Amino acid sequence: MTEHVSRRQFLAFSAAAAGAAIVAPARIPALDSVHHRSSNYARLPQSRGDGKRVAVMGAGLAGLVAAYELAAAGYDVTVFEARTRPGGRVWTIREPFSDGLHAEAGAMFIPEYHTWTMHYVKLFELPLVATSARDALAPVFYVRGKRVKLGGSASIEWPFTFSPEERALGASAMRARYTATDIKAVVDAVPGPDARDWPPASLRHYDTMTMAGLWRSRGASDEAVALLRLGYNDLWGDGVDTYSALSGLRDLALRQNGRQTFAIPDGNDRLPHAFAERLKDRIHYGAEVTRIDHSPEGVTLSVHSVSGGGQTQRVTTDHLVCSIPFSVLRRLVVAPAFSPDKLRAIRDLEYTSVARMYLQCRTRFWEREGLSGSATTDLPVRNIASATALQRGPRGVLQTYATGANARRITAMSGEQRLALAAEQIENVFPGLREQVEGGTSKCWDEDPWARGDYAWFKPGQVTSLWPHVAPAEGNVHFCGEHASAWPGWMQGALDSGRRAAAEVGVVLAQP
């Protein structure tokens, strides 16, 4: 199949080009003054903590924003974090790279329409870099052993055997034919996809099928599904044959609001560190909560010192904000047990397996061919990107991003085996890599004891059966995290849910 495809029509997994404009950093305001700087998002004057105690489990973005808003409103807040750093799955890797290079192990981009993420970045006066310049160089597909470069006026021969109608449509029109009508249905439905009481009855039939099943019901051939699954669509769960079409459509519907994306040039973990800087000694690191005892009178936590001789303390509080993933929460002792619906949500909600590998290269050799370093493949390493495209210097880091079964197979390998696999497969896409590699590292979220997976995903039927029970509080225990939001997998979801949890405790917050 021959087709002309522009770079803007290509939904890149991730790429960016050097030379993008950077917003200069400025002074970071203190905790007591930040809310006077943004009237649209200010805390309303009737908020006050009245000295009530609130414990927060987890110093990821959801827990941090909840603690930040609660502390600023006068609550007595204590955060317990099992790791020795803030940020959770927002983590920037700086070692073992040289020349000040870094790569993201978790959250990569900040879309312009993610209002809460943009709000706190601006509130803390963090610098931003626009990633739109990633279109300056061409991305690549590597499918069925064939390397396909996009961009320019050259014809593209896709290695798929489409039906005659699909061949006439072309890839872009196929995406519209098999998805656009259903995305519009989600956008137009009341309530909208980011509403608390979503989904409406009119959309629930989408929850009975997978994303691939939806495409096939619209007439897509198996070859069309093979094309449509490449890249972003296949990143949830174990791919388009496994996750609920309704959850996929919600994500795509929310992405219709804007195309510009940003990143924090020194690393996206500067955002959680900005929260932590303001919370300071309210955060206890190396503190793992192992048991939750709750009643109408309050909550008592058993807090284990991870590296302090194994001591366990009992901490009593009025409210608990639980921001840890359900994949970790299900291993804790809770007494009395939560409601049956909540227990089922905690037990059954799954998290996407993600394995990421990073190779430091002596030069950015791919740019000599006019390539961005971004590639979408059907290889086990799946997606490839330049992790350092927005950073200066001759060296660069190529990263891979695999999910689902591919990620689990990579996770089972040793560190050396992972990097060898990455080098072998990237060589197919960007010849010459082997002569350039200086070293690297990997991050597999399944083996992280405080994550046990990366981001939440919903099987068919679970948006209807589980989603309504993920976020609601159980007495004075409040739940937040990307899994408890309309934006699973995004910093926006963590921040939005953390604000909601703070509001449930009693903080009155303005809306955007």
Side-chain angles (χ1 to χ4, degrees):
M1 172 183 174
T2 301
E3 179 186 7
H4 296 282
V5 181
S6 72
R7 285 187 286 270
R8 291 190 180 277
Q9 291 171 320
F10 171 67
L11 183 59
F13 162 70
S14 70
I22 294 179
V23 181
R27 181 182 62 85
I28 297 177
L31 174 66
D32 294 338
S33 64
V34 291
H35 283 281
H36 301 291
R37 301 181 62 85
S38 180
S39 59
N40 288 337
Y41 301 95
R43 184 178 301 98
L44 300 185
Q46 61 264 43
S47 301
R48 65 180 187 273
D50 294 330
K52 288 184 178 178
R53 299 163 299 172
V54 182
V56 177
M57 288 174 55
L61 274 185
L64 288 169
V65 71
Y68 172 83
E69 296 293 354
L70 287 161
Y75 288 83
D76 181 4
V77 178
T78 304
V79 181
F80 297 105
E81 169 57 51
R83 297 181 176 92
T84 56
R85 62 168 179 84
R89 287 160 286 170
V90 182
W91 180 38
T92 305
I93 299 175
R94 295 178 174 85
E95 297 290 341
F97 306 128
S98 66
D99 301 344
L101 297 176
H102 61 266
E104 300 299 343
M108 297 175 65
F109 296 123
I110 304 172
E112 61 182 340
Y113 57 92
H114 283 191
T115 53
W116 293 125
T117 315
M118 293 295 289
H119 163 61
Y120 286 105
V121 166
K122 293 176 181 178
L123 193 65
F124 299 148
E125 297 181 336
L126 297 173
L128 283 177
V129 56
T131 64
S132 57
R134 63 189 177 203
D135 285 335
L137 299 173
V140 172
F141 276 102
Y142 187 88
V143 185
R144 297 178 178 176
K146 181 179 177 64
R147 188 171 185 252
V148 179
K149 290 172 58 176
L150 301 189
S153 58
S155 297
I156 297 171
E157 191 72 28
W158 293 101
F160 297 100
T161 306
F162 297 116
S163 68
E165 182 182 9
E166 290 167 344
R167 184 177 294 277
L169 283 172
S172 298
M174 266 193 281
R175 294 187 187 99
R177 166 71 66 88
Y178 299 135
T179 308
T181 299
D182 303 297
I183 294 175
K184 186 176 186 302
V186 175
V187 171
D188 293 344
V190 178
D194 57 347
R196 302 295 184 216
D197 52 350
W198 186 88
S202 62
L203 298 178
R204 291 178 185 170
H205 65 284
Y206 289 117
D207 196 32
T208 65
M209 64 188 85
T210 66
M211 199 69 183
L214 172 62
W215 294 335
R216 291 188 177 101
S217 75
R218 296 292 184 229
S221 68
D222 288 344
E223 290 289 271
V225 170
L227 172 65
L228 294 174
R229 76 183 309 151
L230 291 173
Y232 185 82
N233 285 327
D234 218 36
L235 296 182
W236 302 94
D238 277 8
V240 296
D241 292 302
T242 65
Y243 65 82
S244 164
L246 183 53
S247 66
L249 290 171
R250 175 173 65 175
D251 180 75
L252 293 172
L254 289 169
R255 288 167 60 87
Q256 301 303 300
N257 296 327
R259 295 301 183 190
Q260 179 64 67
T261 59
F262 300 88
I264 300 173
D266 294 335
N268 286 336
D269 67 354
R270 285 198 62 192
L271 179 56
H273 278 279
F275 279 108
E277 179 182 343
R278 288 152 179 81
L279 292 165
K280 295 188 183 301
D281 59 1
R282 292 181 176 93
I283 305 177
H284 295 260
Y285 295 109
E288 176 193 8
V289 175
T290 58
R291 181 184 175 101
I292 301 170
D293 292 279
H294 63 108
S295 71
E297 288 70 43
V299 181
T300 300
L301 304 177
S302 296
V303 183
H304 174 74
S305 177
V306 173
S307 58
Q311 296 180 346
T312 298
Q313 296 182 347
R314 300 274 284 174
V315 178
T316 301
T317 186
D318 296 306
H319 292 268
L320 171 64
V321 173
C322 178
S323 74
I324 65 175
F326 279 4
S327 52
V328 178
L329 178 59
R330 65 179 63 126
R331 297 170 180 266
L332 272 61
V333 176
V334 179
F338 295 136
S339 67
D341 286 336
K342 177 66 76 174
L343 286 175
R344 184 163 49 87
I346 294 171
R347 182 194 66 221
D348 293 348
L349 184 63
E350 297 205 32
Y351 285 74
T352 302
S353 300
V354 174
R356 303 176 72 162
M357 297 176 286
Y358 310 84
L359 297 178
Q360 178 177 298
C361 301
R362 190 170 65 256
T363 69
R364 305 183 187 199
F365 65 95
W366 54 89
E367 294 182 359
R368 299 173 198 156
E369 198 180 343
L371 301 177
S372 66
S374 173
T376 300
T377 84
D378 59 0
L379 298 169
V381 297
R382 305 303 283 183
N383 302 284
I384 303 168
S386 171
T388 52
L390 299 175
Q391 301 167 47
R392 293 186 175 92
R395 287 182 169 84
V397 176
L398 287 178
Q399 68 172 355
T400 67
Y401 192 118
T403 60
N406 285 311
R408 290 190 289 276
R409 284 190 287 267
I410 292 170
T411 300
M413 298 177 180
S414 69
E416 290 183 359
Q417 290 172 328
R418 294 172 186 173
L419 298 186
L421 174 68
E424 173 190 346
Q425 299 205 338
I426 295 176
E427 176 74 26
N428 293 321
V429 185
F430 299 113
L433 172 93
R434 288 187 180 278
E435 300 173 358
Q436 295 281 339
V437 172
E438 297 179 319
T441 189
S442 62
K443 176 61 180 178
C444 298
W445 286 101
D446 278 9
E447 64 186 9
D448 187 316
W450 316 122
R452 300 188 182 277
D454 199 341
Y455 42 87
W457 67 283
F458 293 85
K459 297 177 180 179
Q462 288 187 334
V463 176
T464 303
S465 64
L466 290 190
W467 166 248
H469 309 296
V470 171
E474 294 271 317
N476 43 15
V477 179
H478 311 268
F479 300 89
C480 59
E482 52 85 23
H483 57 284
S485 77
W487 294 271
W490 292 98
M491 291 187 282
Q492 169 79 0
L495 292 167
D496 180 68
S497 68
R499 288 175 55 87
R500 172 188 47 74
E504 288 174 1
V505 172
V507 179
V508 182
L509 297 166
Q511 295 299 312

